[in-house]
Amino acid sequence: MQPNSETEDDITPLLSSVAAGSLPCLELLIQAGAKPNVHAGGATPLHVAADMGDTQVLNCLLKAGADPNICDEDGLKPVQVAAIRGNREAIEVLFPLTSPIQGLPEWTVNGLIEYMQAESNKAQGDVKGTDVSTLTKLQKPDIVEAAPEAKVKSLEAKSRGDDAFRRKDYLAAVDAYTQAIDLDPNEATLFSNRSLCWMRLGQAEQALADAKSCRDLRPDWAKACYREGAALRLLQRFDEAANAFYEGVELEPENKELVDAFREAVEAGRKFHGTDKQDQPPVSV
């Protein structure tokens, strides 16, 4: 058993068990040495449990050494996440263990709830007057991302997809990733993973569509460029594949997989078009 093994998105078995609300599984993982302060998606297991309001899971994590003062990618501590969701029991567990947060007018359970919910409502109110194009540019986690409970369910579905992929059951993986996407359509990794599954199934058009969605969400992610290039290569659109791979190389010049893929796509394109590669300038990146 490897309690601290990670997927490419830093998801560990402990985080999956918290997302699933499985206390027995969580306890077994902690006994096996699972680390309670891992980060995935910008949050710790304590943030996920606080959002869910599961006090048993919270207490189990705290007993194992989970730090209630670690902030997520939005600068929020677990107790603040619980306050936004109105999970009072979770707040009462976390509050005595959390260092006072600067800027709050009243450091009490009621004061925290009132302040965090007022801030949340204000953010939502600001969004209603914002046009879609501006909203896309903002990319604020509390505005355009899925609701916290949907993200938890999406994480569960993604975990099922990862398991199916490891079993090489690509159809089951596609189904699980599709469920995860439905719950959290702004998570680029899900499209990347599903694109790879479509590739393994030989469905290049579907793989390309997911790769393009992935790039739309994360245009600065080299892996998204690789996914697009791989799908285009399968479709024998070698020139376009080479362009996609090269755009990835520009983002990560030291990525050997992308460099090799770019060169191979260029050579494949020359052969496909019947061009004598000796008459062409050398390929360089």
Side-chain angles (χ1 to χ4, degrees):
M1 183 179 186
Q2 297 181 339
N4 294 304
S5 60
E6 297 180 353
T7 68
E8 64 178 19
D9 305 307
D10 304 321
I11 304 298
T12 66
L14 182 142
L15 187 56
S16 294
S17 69
V18 171
S22 177
L23 183 62
C25 183
L26 176 61
E27 291 174 335
L28 288 173
L29 286 166
I30 289 173
Q31 290 174 14
K35 298 176 182 178
N37 288 313
V38 294
H39 265 83
T44 69
L46 210 57
H47 285 92
V48 176
D51 178 76
M52 296 172 65
D54 193 324
T55 56
Q56 288 185 308
V57 170
L58 280 173
N59 281 316
C60 184
L61 288 169
L62 290 167
K63 186 177 179 181
D67 188 347
N69 289 298
I70 294 178
C71 294
D72 64 11
E73 63 181 357
D74 300 320
L76 301 178
K77 295 182 180 182
V79 73
Q80 291 173 281
V81 174
I84 291 173
R85 303 301 299 165
N87 295 330
R88 190 179 187 88
E89 290 185 357
I91 298 169
E92 290 175 345
V93 170
L94 293 163
F95 189 85
L97 304 173
T98 304
S99 299
I101 299 168
Q102 293 184 351
L104 269 67
E106 183 183 351
W107 182 239
T108 64
V109 170
N110 287 335
L112 176 64
I113 293 174
E114 291 175 5
Y115 179 82
M116 294 307 301
Q117 293 196 352
E119 288 295 302
S120 178
N121 291 335
K122 179 182 177 182
Q124 294 297 327
D126 290 342
V127 173
K128 291 180 181 179
T130 307
D131 61 62
V132 174
S133 61
T134 303
L135 195 59
T136 302
K137 292 176 182 178
L138 288 174
Q139 289 291 300
K140 295 294 185 181
D142 59 339
I143 294 176
V144 300
E145 288 193 359
E149 63 268 29
K151 290 186 72 68
V152 170
K153 292 180 180 178
S154 178
L155 182 62
E156 295 174 15
K158 180 184 179 300
S159 180
R160 294 195 300 272
D162 293 343
D163 290 340
F165 184 85
R166 284 190 287 269
R167 298 194 308 269
K168 298 184 179 181
D169 188 349
Y170 301 122
L171 282 174
V174 164
D175 182 62
Y177 289 137
T178 298
Q179 293 176 40
I181 288 169
D182 288 342
L183 291 160
D184 189 4
N186 294 315
E187 178 50 60
T189 303
L190 298 173
F191 287 97
S192 172
N193 290 1
R194 193 171 68 175
S195 178
L196 179 57
C197 290
W198 286 128
M199 286 286 294
R200 297 292 172 86
L201 291 166
Q203 302 296 318
E205 291 289 355
Q206 290 92 329
L208 179 59
D210 276 348
K212 287 182 176 296
S213 295
C214 183
R215 288 199 68 180
D216 287 342
L217 289 166
R218 288 184 62 180
D220 59 347
W221 193 23
K223 180 177 285 188
C225 299
Y226 183 86
R227 291 281 185 258
E228 183 176 2
L232 289 164
R233 183 174 56 194
L234 188 60
L235 289 165
Q236 296 189 330
R237 292 159 58 178
F238 298 114
D239 293 342
E240 294 174 75
N243 287 336
F245 288 134
Y246 186 73
E247 287 168 1
V249 171
E250 288 184 309
L251 292 169
E252 291 186 10
E254 304 302 318
N255 189 318
K256 186 177 184 300
E257 186 177 23
L258 274 166
V259 171
D260 290 345
F262 165 68
R263 288 174 171 160
E264 290 167 6
V266 171
E267 295 303 323
R270 289 172 178 169
K271 292 178 181 178
F272 184 76
H273 294 299
T275 305
D276 184 356
K277 64 182 180 181
Q278 294 181 350
D279 294 335
Q280 301 293 326
V283 176
S284 62
V285 295

